[in-house]
Amino acid sequence: MKKQTAVMETSFWVIGHRVDVLSYLYRFFTLVVPESVRNEVLAPDPRYPQRVYGYQEMFRLLEGQGLISRRNPKQSLPRFHAGEAAALALALQEGWWLLINEQRALIFARQQGLKAVTVPEFIAYLYQADLLSYRSTLSKLDQLAGNTGPQVMQAARQAVQVLAQQRGEKT
């Protein structure tokens, strides 16, 4: 499969880091982020301004190595948060894939005809591609359930269950 260019939104990066799937992105995508997404990812925690979280450090490292590039849309959307609005606008403008984990923005993106992928869908795809075991897949889905809309979670879980049954894995 040829690598696709994908615009990443903040929630995908943070949640993807939490469940340890970001490194797999580079098999499939060339990553681009708008400045507002970069700012959101790297923003200090107001409660603990001296802390640097793992997802922030990883972002800086990969950006420094040229594995995350920045590009802003010509015009942002007047809805959603700054990062979501810019990522959606850039993906629409360029016809690129969108990596997002916010349900409202995901619905909007798909209504606009964008190819959009959530973290649970990406995890399900990694299982389908035999890059993750069944147990690892379930564990990762369980870890992100509290930060992802139930409709998105349900669709990913169903896809994994169907595939696991076809493979004869314990379900």
Side-chain angles (χ1 to χ4, degrees), residues 127 134-135 138 161 164-165 167-171:
Y127 174 63
Y134 179 61
R135 291 183 94 171
L138 293 182
Q161 290 303 320
Q165 288 175 343
R167 292 179 176 177
E169 305 230 30
K170 291 183 180 180
T171 58

Side-chain angles (χ1 to χ4, degrees), residues 5 9 31 34 48 73 88 106 110 112 123 128 144 148 154-155:
T5 301
E9 189 268 333
L31 299 182
Y48 310 102
L88 278 162
L106 172 69
R110 289 187 173 156
Q112 303 306 306
I123 291 169
Q128 178 187 350
L144 62 87
T148 304
Q154 183 180 8

Side-chain angles (χ1 to χ4, degrees), residues 65-164:
Q65 293 179 355
L67 295 172
I68 299 172
S69 60
R70 274 185 271 163
R71 182 151 170 207
N72 289 318
K74 291 177 183 161
Q75 201 170 25
S76 194
L77 296 173
R79 54 171 63 173
F80 307 111
H81 298 292
E84 292 170 347
L88 278 162
L90 184 57
L92 283 166
Q93 173 186 304
E94 300 298 335
W96 291 337
W97 287 63
L98 178 66
L99 304 175
I100 192 159
N101 212 60
E102 297 292 336
Q103 193 161 330
R104 281 182 349 131
L106 172 69
I107 292 167
F108 176 81
R110 289 187 173 156
Q111 288 171 344
Q112 303 306 306
L114 283 176
K115 292 178 181 174
V117 178
T118 64
V119 175
E121 291 168 336
F122 188 59
I123 291 169
Y125 180 75
L126 294 173
Y127 174 63
Q128 178 187 350
D130 247 346
L131 295 172
L132 293 179
S133 70
Y134 179 61
R135 291 183 94 171
S136 177
T137 299
L138 293 182
S139 173
K140 289 178 187 312
L141 290 174
D142 288 345
Q143 289 174 51
L144 62 87
N147 299 95
T148 304
Q151 291 174 321
V152 173
M153 288 302 304
Q154 183 180 8
R157 286 187 189 279
Q158 285 177 337
V160 167
Q161 290 303 320
V162 166
L163 187 55

Side-chain angles (χ1 to χ4, degrees), residues 16 21 24 28 33-34 37 66 81 84-85 89 91 95 102 111 124 129 164:
V21 296
Y24 295 102
F28 310 103
V33 298
V37 168
H81 298 292
E84 292 170 347
E102 297 292 336
Q111 288 171 344

